[in-house]
Amino acid sequence: DIQMTQSPSTLSASVGDRITITCRASQSISSWLAWYQQKPGKAPKLLIYKASSLESEVPSRFSGGGSGTEFTLTISSLQPDDFATYYCQQYNSYSWTFGQGTKVEIK
Amino acid sequence: EVQLVQSGAEVKKPGESLQISCKGSGFTFTTYWIAWVRQMPGKGLEWMGIIYPGDSDTRYSPSFQGQVTISADKSISSANLQWSSLKASDTAMYYCARQKSRDGYNLRAFDIWGQGTMVTVSS
């Protein structure tokens, strides 16, 4: 099984900050990496697919990058609505795995 | 509207059986893969398995193989998750989710999610 390691586990930031979350795969997954946002009591929401493709209606302050084993999610200017938990997710050979999550908190 | 609507919360005893469902609407249910994802209280997301309702092709995470059964009833656009003997450790929120597809090409991410079904197993 491919393991996904997200860092940091928790991130404290202020409105307007630029933040980056990193996700590392235990082996190459090409560009099969997605990012999700989850708020308490809600289902996850797809933000980025295929490493860098922005999902429809997701604000352009969200961007994804990377390939192979190292990937990033960047929020260019953190907004109040962005305080949530973020998960990466990989795909390889009919198997999907999520990272452990990064909680973005208000500083 | 494209949506997945899940069945309601369940409270069961250890050893009991259970099936929860996920009904799709607003899209051609038989042409999309539908996954199940577990989230234990206060924890992260775990992919359990995925089914293609068109032909019931099903794949399981090794962690859940033999522990649950995923099925589909394409006549009513429903995917199901079933336990034959529940354990307290099955207490969790369960989500179904649709694999994103464009022009028949699967994009390996989940774009539509159900609202979740909370399963509580307690004696």
Side-chain angles (χ1 to χ4, degrees):
Chain A
D1 274 12
I2 295 178
Q3 308 303 316
M4 304 302 292
T5 303
Q6 272 183 248
S7 59
S9 297
T10 307
L11 191 160
S12 296
S14 302
V15 172
D17 284 354
R18 178 184 181 90
I19 67 165
T20 297
I21 299 168
T22 298
C23 189
R24 289 187 175 85
S26 58
Q27 66 187 70
S28 178
I29 56 171
S30 185
S31 295
W32 294 122
L33 194 285
W35 290 96
Y36 300 85
Q37 177 193 69
Q38 188 180 33
K39 296 181 179 178
K42 299 293 187 182
K45 174 187 174 184
L46 178 63
L47 301 174
I48 301 286
Y49 63 95
K50 217 159 180 286
S52 60
S53 296
L54 191 68
E55 176 68 346
S56 176
E57 298 184 19
V58 172
S60 59
R61 64 180 179 272
F62 292 91
S63 63
S67 66
T69 61
E70 187 147 338
F71 302 86
T72 57
L73 172 70
T74 298
I75 307 176
S76 60
S77 178
L78 204 60
Q79 298 301 301
D81 191 48
D82 301 339
F83 292 96
T85 300
Y86 293 84
Y87 294 93
C88 64
Q89 166 248 301
Q90 70 82 29
Y91 165 82
N92 181 63
S93 298
Y94 277 105
S95 182
W96 285 258
T97 312
F98 291 91
Q100 80 275 20
T102 295
K103 186 175 183 179
V104 177
E105 299 180 328
I106 301 173
K107 195 173 190 178
Chain B
E1 180 190 2
V2 174
Q3 60 181 349
L4 294 170
V5 178
Q6 297 183 229
S7 51
E10 300 275 0
V11 179
K12 306 292 275 187
K13 291 183 170 24
E16 292 186 331
S17 63
L18 174 65
Q19 178 170 288
I20 62 175
S21 66
C22 167
K23 188 170 174 60
S25 60
F27 64 100
T28 305
F29 191 74
T30 52
T31 63
Y32 286 85
W33 289 83
I34 303 294
W36 286 95
V37 175
R38 183 176 79 174
Q39 188 167 39
M40 299 177 77
K43 301 299 184 183
L45 305 170
E46 300 173 89
W47 176 73
M48 303 175 71
I50 196 166
I51 189 167
Y52 188 75
D55 61 7
S56 290
D57 187 5
T58 308
R59 313 297 172 101
Y60 292 92
S61 161
S63 299
F64 291 93
Q65 179 87 47
Q67 307 305 307
V68 296
T69 300
I70 294 171
S71 62
D73 184 344
K74 59 185 180 182
S75 69
I76 57 169
S77 298
S78 180
N80 307 307
L81 180 63
Q82 181 181 347
W83 294 261
S84 59
S85 181
L86 286 159
K87 302 186 279 287
S89 58
D90 292 318
T91 294
M93 180 72 81
Y94 293 88
Y95 293 101
C96 62
R98 187 186 80 167
Q99 183 181 205
K100 186 175 178 71
S101 176
R102 182 183 297 139
D103 300 325
Y105 182 64
N106 290 317
L107 290 167
R108 314 307 185 182
F110 303 119
D111 61 347
I112 304 296
W113 290 70
Q115 82 277 20
T117 296
M118 185 66 207
V119 174
T120 303
V121 184
S122 174
S123 54

